[in-house]
Amino acid sequence: MKASIALTAAAALAAKASAACFSERLGYPCCSGKEVVYTDNDGKWGVENGNWCGIADTPAPAACWSTGLGYPCCSSSSAEVWYTDDSGKWGVENGDWCGIPKTSGGSTGGSTGGSTGGNATPGEQYTITGNPFKDVEFYINPYYVDEVNGAIAQMSDSSLIAKAEKMKTYSNAIWLDTIKNMQSWLESNLQGALAQQESTGSKVLTVFVVYDLPGRDCHALASNGELLANAGDMERYKTEYIDVIEGHLKKYKSQPVVLIVEPDSLANMVTNIETTPACADSQNYYYDGHAYLIKKFGVLPHVAMYLDIGHAFWLGWDDNREKAGKVYAKVIQSGSPGKVRGFTDNVSNYTPWEDPTLSRGPETEWNPCPDEKRFLEAMHKDFKAAGISSVYFVSDTSRNGHKTDRKHPGEWCNQTGVGIGARPKASPISGMDYLDAFYWIKPLGESDGTSDETAVRFDGYCGHETAMKPAPEAGKWFQKHFEQGLKNANPPL
Ligand code: BGC
């Protein structure tokens, strides 16, 4: 009896090991060769012995300590060591530096789709001191890896596929954009990061976007959320969303977590209360929501929070920056004793980090901050002058590597000419100590909003000439936009 159980287990294991491609679950064998005859949403198909067969996916390259520094992992932990520094051992592959994974044989993290979860037990309380992006590995979002795998299955150009494969080795933010998504993604990814932390012995940072305020996206329509600007929904935000997030964060106390708070909301409070009735209706909820969450999350030692400040062509003008100083100082004060580490800029936007061709003048509508770098330099000064003590920034570079085709910098929806920008990296600019990181907050390939004019969340900006069409709803996969972002990547992928 014992022997037969052992044999069954061995057979099951063998079956699992041979189930190396997607087609087996659809009733087709795996191909032994690699020639692609047809591609659909399931994957790449070949023909062998007169029958369709599935071509096995190349597994996603693992993430390791060096992906957090903007370099890929070497393909093997026994790669030749070319150089060693405080971060680890470096090798060279494909003409570029790569990090040699620290553990041999074991997972070096970088979950590939669906490998979150598990039973790792949180350890001792971790405390972030200084820049939370420094000296940590960046967690890879398995949902994004799945999205990219789906995208690759629709591609046939091998150089584009190679670029898409690289996307799976970079970290980006996990958006908790509904109560349901928060329930599915918060704890599973905290667990995934914890398991990676235990296996590598390095701290693993997960970045979440808190994004469900009542009356969300008050100045536009494309990202209107599930909670409306009323007292009942405010209560739901607090009890079903913020309190639940707090519970999980308190449990997973031995790992660093960054929270990016409610993109666009406070920038709307600076510029759109008088002109947009929906923003006027939402203001009490936006302020109340921020005070509530800063008090809760801002006292957790392993959590660092960044409030969103829009982008250079939103708050960059002198009068807007001055007003912003007052609004943000008041909000931070209202969350005391909770602490805020700093601010995010350019989230889901396309403004270049540096654009020396622009200066204050008619072309920039007299904006003295026509790129993100100049915007942050000015905001740093102004926020300090407004009495905000902790002023650090995380700049979203997921889609600002290539100047888009937009005619006006206020255009924000699915811009053509998009290109992925600088890789996620801690302290990326020397001499700019207050820039904590470049990071990919908006996942390249997820839409900004639908171009379907009949949809409830259709926003006119998504119908503009330079908005790529046809576009799906905000957050849904947009293959054409993704492919263009890969092709225009700067630096190239
Ligand atoms: C959408 C969210 C989505 C996020 C990331 C936002 O524009 O409204 O639903 O999660 O983008 O793609």
Side-chain angles (χ1 to χ4, degrees):
M1 187 62 182
K2 222 173 162 196
S4 89
I5 288 173
L7 278 176
T8 315
L13 271 178
K16 200 163 172 234
S18 75
C21 66
F22 68 93
S23 62
E24 290 200 327
R25 67 182 156 76
L26 302 170
Y28 295 91
C30 300
C31 304
S32 48
K34 289 265 171 213
E35 197 186 338
V36 180
V37 174
Y38 178 69
T39 303
D40 64 13
N41 282 342
D42 294 313
K44 295 195 191 75
W45 296 90
V47 174
E48 281 175 7
N49 309 320
N51 195 7
W52 288 106
C53 58
I55 297 171
D57 271 344
T58 321
C64 65
W65 56 271
S66 67
T67 44
L69 301 169
Y71 294 91
C73 306
C74 302
S75 46
S76 153
S77 56
S78 52
E80 186 183 350
V81 180
W82 283 62
Y83 180 68
T84 303
D85 64 13
D86 291 347
S87 310
K89 294 194 174 66
W90 295 90
V92 174
E93 280 177 8
N94 308 319
D96 197 7
W97 291 104
C98 59
I100 299 179
K102 282 178 181 161
T103 47
S104 55
S107 157
T108 52
S111 337
T112 56
S115 63
T116 50
N119 297 313
T121 313
E124 296 288 296
Q125 175 71 53
Y126 176 68
T127 299
I128 293 175
T129 50
N131 181 354
F133 290 84
K134 246 195 140 87
D135 302 322
V136 293
E137 288 181 12
F138 295 172
Y139 178 72
I140 307 284
N141 176 3
Y143 177 78
Y144 190 66
V145 171
D146 279 349
E147 286 184 314
V148 173
N149 279 333
I152 290 171
Q154 299 174 54
M155 295 174 179
S156 49
D157 171 351
S158 58
S159 80
L160 199 60
I161 291 177
K163 290 180 198 301
E165 287 289 348
K166 286 199 188 147
M167 292 299 285
K168 297 192 277 183
T169 66
Y170 292 106
S171 176
N172 55 14
I174 300 167
W175 288 64
L176 309 176
D177 62 336
T178 58
I179 292 169
K180 188 166 168 289
N181 283 342
M182 180 272 293
Q183 285 162 345
S184 322
W185 291 336
L186 179 61
E187 181 161 31
S188 62
N189 286 303
L190 286 170
Q191 256 293 337
L194 177 62
Q196 180 178 331
Q197 184 166 290
E198 287 192 349
S199 84
T200 63
S202 304
K203 288 289 163 192
V204 176
L205 172 71
T206 320
V207 178
F208 294 102
V209 183
V210 175
Y211 192 52
D212 207 18
L213 262 184
R216 192 176 81 190
D217 202 21
C218 65
H219 187 61
L221 294 172
S223 282
N224 286 176
E226 62 185 354
L227 300 179
L228 306 179
N230 64 51
D233 278 5
M234 185 71 217
E235 197 49 28
R236 288 193 65 200
Y237 181 70
K238 290 180 177 172
T239 56
E240 294 176 39
Y241 185 73
I242 297 297
D243 292 356
V244 179
I245 297 176
E246 182 198 23
H248 289 305
L249 293 175
K250 279 185 164 165
K251 178 173 167 200
Y252 291 89
K253 63 185 193 309
S254 58
Q255 61 203 88
V257 174
V258 157
L259 299 179
I260 288 160
V261 175
E262 299 291 355
D264 292 355
S265 58
L266 293 178
N268 271 319
M269 296 297 93
V270 176
T271 60
N272 293 324
I273 292 180
E274 275 105 49
T275 53
T276 311
C279 291
D281 292 346
S282 300
Q283 63 173 315
N284 289 343
Y285 304 110
Y286 282 18
Y287 285 126
D288 188 17
H290 276 83
Y292 190 79
L293 69 85
I294 295 171
K295 282 190 181 131
K296 298 219 156 199
F297 305 150
V299 294
L300 304 176
H302 61 300
V303 174
M305 242 186 308
Y306 296 84
L307 309 183
D308 186 57
I309 55 167
H311 53 89
F313 279 96
W314 189 342
L315 296 186
W317 283 268
D318 293 341
D319 50 346
N320 287 348
R321 294 199 326 275
E322 199 199 323
K323 225 171 141 197
K326 294 187 186 128
V327 167
Y328 286 80
K330 185 177 121 193
V331 167
I332 292 169
Q333 182 54 38
S334 74
S336 175
K339 299 242 175 318
V340 169
R341 165 80 184 167
F343 308 90
T344 48
D345 67 295
N346 212 26
V347 172
S348 304
N349 206 270
Y350 299 87
T351 310
W353 170 248
E354 270 186 300
D355 187 348
T357 66
L358 293 180
S359 56
R360 183 177 204 159
E363 203 196 344
T364 62
E365 294 171 7
W366 308 99
N367 183 351
C369 303
D371 60 28
E372 293 303 310
K373 185 159 189 251
R374 278 175 278 180
F375 178 49
L376 295 192
E377 284 163 354
M379 284 304 242
H380 182 255
K381 246 197 247 142
D382 292 353
F383 275 180
K384 283 282 178 185
I388 301 174
S389 55
S390 186
V391 185
Y392 297 92
F393 299 97
V394 177
S395 197
D396 187 357
T397 55
S398 63
R399 309 188 304 179
N400 70 345
H402 186 256
K403 218 168 174 174
T404 61
D405 302 328
R406 64 186 179 185
K407 305 265 190 301
H408 186 277
E411 292 185 303
W412 51 265
C413 194
N414 297 321
Q415 292 304 289
T416 58
V418 61
I420 197 112
R423 311 299 176 257
K425 193 174 194 282
S427 308
I429 303 288
S430 69
M432 218 173 165
D433 306 343
Y434 50 88
L435 179 62
D436 278 350
F438 282 152
Y439 193 76
W440 291 352
I441 298 173
K442 174 78 184 182
L444 174 76
E446 292 186 5
S447 172
D448 294 321
T450 178
S451 60
D452 173 359
E453 292 180 19
T454 65
V456 180
R457 298 202 304 173
F458 172 72
D459 188 288
Y461 275 95
C462 302
H464 280 197
E465 196 189 329
T466 59
M468 198 183 270
K469 294 175 225 56
E473 285 281 354
K476 296 278 173 269
W477 192 254
F478 192 178
Q479 181 81 10
K480 223 166 89 181
H481 204 243
F482 177 69
E483 291 187 9
Q484 191 170 66
L486 299 184
K487 287 182 192 150
N488 287 336
N490 175 26
L493 279 162

